[in-house]
Amino acid sequence: MDIGDVRYELYGLLSGNPYSSEPLNALDFETDRELLLELRGFVRLAAVEAAVERSIREKRPAFFLITGVGRSGRTSLANHIIYLYQRTAAADRSRFPFVVHGVERDDMTHDAYRLLRSTLLSLRNKMKSRHIRIPDELSDRFDALSLRGPADAMDEYDLQAIAQDTALAFASCDAGFGVRYESVSTKKLLTQATKVFETAATVVVFTVDTYEHADTVQLTQADRRAFARHGVVVDLNTLTPRQIAALADGRWTGQPPSPFDSKGVESAFSTRPYTIGQAMRLLEVLLDCRLVEYERDTPWPIEDLRMSESWLQLKMWQVEKWNGLRGGSHG
């Protein structure tokens, strides 16, 4: 067997390693919808879903602010919230077209007006591509907005009127939209976006990095309280060893049971904190290591494919040692 030959079929894994740490996208991929786990309190999905349902029932916007360091699961949760909104809004309807305007990390700027203007004009274009009728008055407002750059900015209440009429136009066609802002870099976007979409029936999700660098907004407790008056604040912290053990078990998609010894996972991951992205990457590597070391053809469940506490501790020590020699980290 070649050293790079990872035989996932021995574990009954039909789609490769289940611990791939790419962000989940529940709106576009049905298979991702069951993969976002609560993990013993890491995410309180019932509370998130209740907030979404309440906003739809009361015909008001659903605002969410998700904070956390890199690889803490912010994007996956943001996508899941938008999916929950779409699913709830589409209940009892045979057809419910839904579009999302997303501003990714690399496109985030400190110019809140430019971002909001682009959001509204993007929604106009999506309406046209989905053949959603744009009323004449709204069309005129869009035309005016396209000519009003940052040097001649529209008042936020004019933007609010455009957002409200946009939401009404979507609703008149049994359709809806959502907005996602990744790695927000200015507080103005939080305050102005909640004002602009204050009267629109939609979902707007912001993610914020909690580590300090020039492109990160630093939120005070006062900022968080101010946002909480409009929506829900969700903090994604590092995982406890017990939560990582639940992650190893919950994301397993192969032949049951999971080959990870739960107590062993707790022990091996107890030396320092890990984000969910870091933990997923390490579980991915550990699974591959176990398979590469295995030379027989007998499939799981078999003792030689089980990841025992002693094996996990040794491999985690080796990974940390190698990482230290490289001068790097998992984050």
Side-chain angles (χ1 to χ4, degrees):
M1 181 183 71
D2 294 335
I3 194 168
D5 183 13
V6 184
R7 298 178 294 166
Y8 295 115
E9 65 273 11
L10 291 173
Y11 277 124
L13 295 167
L14 304 180
S15 302
N17 199 311
Y19 303 104
S20 172
S21 56
E22 291 298 313
L24 301 174
N25 186 350
L27 190 64
D28 292 340
F29 301 107
E30 186 174 350
T31 54
D32 284 359
R33 294 171 188 174
E34 303 301 322
L35 296 180
L36 196 140
L37 307 171
E38 291 197 334
L39 298 179
R40 303 178 183 273
F42 172 62
V43 179
R44 302 190 184 281
L45 288 177
V48 169
E49 191 165 356
V52 167
E53 292 174 350
R54 186 165 56 250
S55 69
I56 292 175
R57 185 172 60 251
E58 297 175 358
K59 294 183 170 52
R60 59 179 180 79
F63 293 120
F64 288 87
L65 171 62
I66 306 171
T67 75
V69 297
R71 304 187 69 187
S72 59
R74 294 167 307 182
T75 300
S76 294
L77 180 56
N79 289 335
H80 197 81
I81 288 171
I82 292 175
Y83 158 68
L84 289 175
Y85 185 92
Q86 183 271 341
R87 186 189 70 181
T88 306
D92 302 323
R93 305 189 200 197
S94 59
R95 183 175 176 273
F96 187 72
F98 193 85
V99 302
V100 178
H101 173 75
V103 178
E104 307 303 331
R105 182 190 187 96
D106 291 343
D107 299 319
M108 182 55 61
T109 75
H110 292 271
D111 190 334
Y113 175 77
R114 185 186 298 275
L115 290 166
L116 288 166
R117 176 172 172 264
S118 294
T119 298
L120 294 171
L121 293 177
S122 170
L123 291 172
R124 174 200 62 184
N125 294 347
K126 293 178 188 298
M127 293 172 75
K128 291 180 178 180
S129 67
R130 292 297 188 100
H131 305 291
I132 295 173
R133 181 181 174 276
I134 303 176
D136 292 341
E137 184 178 353
L138 178 57
S139 180
D140 291 342
R141 286 178 172 173
F142 277 135
D143 290 342
L145 179 60
S146 67
L147 301 175
R148 302 283 292 273
D152 185 28
M154 277 191 177
D155 185 84
E156 61 186 18
Y157 285 102
D158 289 327
L159 298 179
Q160 184 187 88
I162 295 174
Q164 179 178 347
D165 287 350
T166 298
L168 291 173
F170 270 93
S172 70
C173 296
D174 280 337
F177 70 89
V179 180
R180 174 173 51 82
Y181 294 112
E182 286 279 358
S183 298
V184 171
S185 59
T186 173
K187 295 180 186 180
K188 285 185 177 180
L189 181 60
L190 297 176
T191 56
Q192 291 184 11
T194 50
K195 177 63 68 176
V196 168
F197 291 102
E198 186 178 36
T199 58
T202 186
V203 57
V204 184
V205 185
F206 309 86
T207 75
V208 172
D209 300 340
T210 54
Y211 48 83
E212 295 186 12
H213 59 72
D215 294 325
T216 299
V217 59
Q218 300 302 312
L219 297 180
T220 65
Q221 288 300 315
D223 295 327
R224 291 165 58 88
R225 287 193 296 270
F227 187 91
R229 289 195 288 270
H230 302 281
V232 177
V233 180
V234 181
D235 298 312
L236 297 181
N237 301 310
T238 55
L239 299 180
T240 66
R242 192 180 183 201
Q243 288 171 330
I244 296 175
L247 176 67
D249 186 61
R251 288 294 290 265
W252 181 249
T253 58
Q255 174 69 29
S258 165
F260 284 96
D261 178 81
S262 293
K263 291 298 182 183
V265 171
E266 289 188 42
S267 176
F269 283 84
S270 63
T271 57
R272 68 177 181 87
Y274 296 92
T275 67
I276 190 170
Q278 292 169 337
M280 287 281 288
R281 174 57 181 159
L282 287 167
L283 292 170
E284 180 182 16
V285 169
L286 289 167
L287 180 67
D288 284 355
C289 285
R290 179 77 282 185
L291 283 170
V292 168
E293 292 178 350
Y294 184 68
E295 296 181 349
R296 298 168 60 187
D297 294 322
T298 306
W300 173 255
I302 185 174
E303 182 62 24
D304 287 349
L305 282 175
R306 191 174 75 89
M307 285 172 268
S308 66
E309 182 172 356
S310 60
W311 186 90
L312 287 166
Q313 288 178 330
L314 173 62
K315 293 304 175 184
M316 283 293 289
W317 179 84
Q318 291 173 337
V319 167
E320 295 288 3
K321 192 73 172 178
W322 173 246
N323 229 34
L325 288 173
R326 291 190 303 163
S329 69
H330 301 301

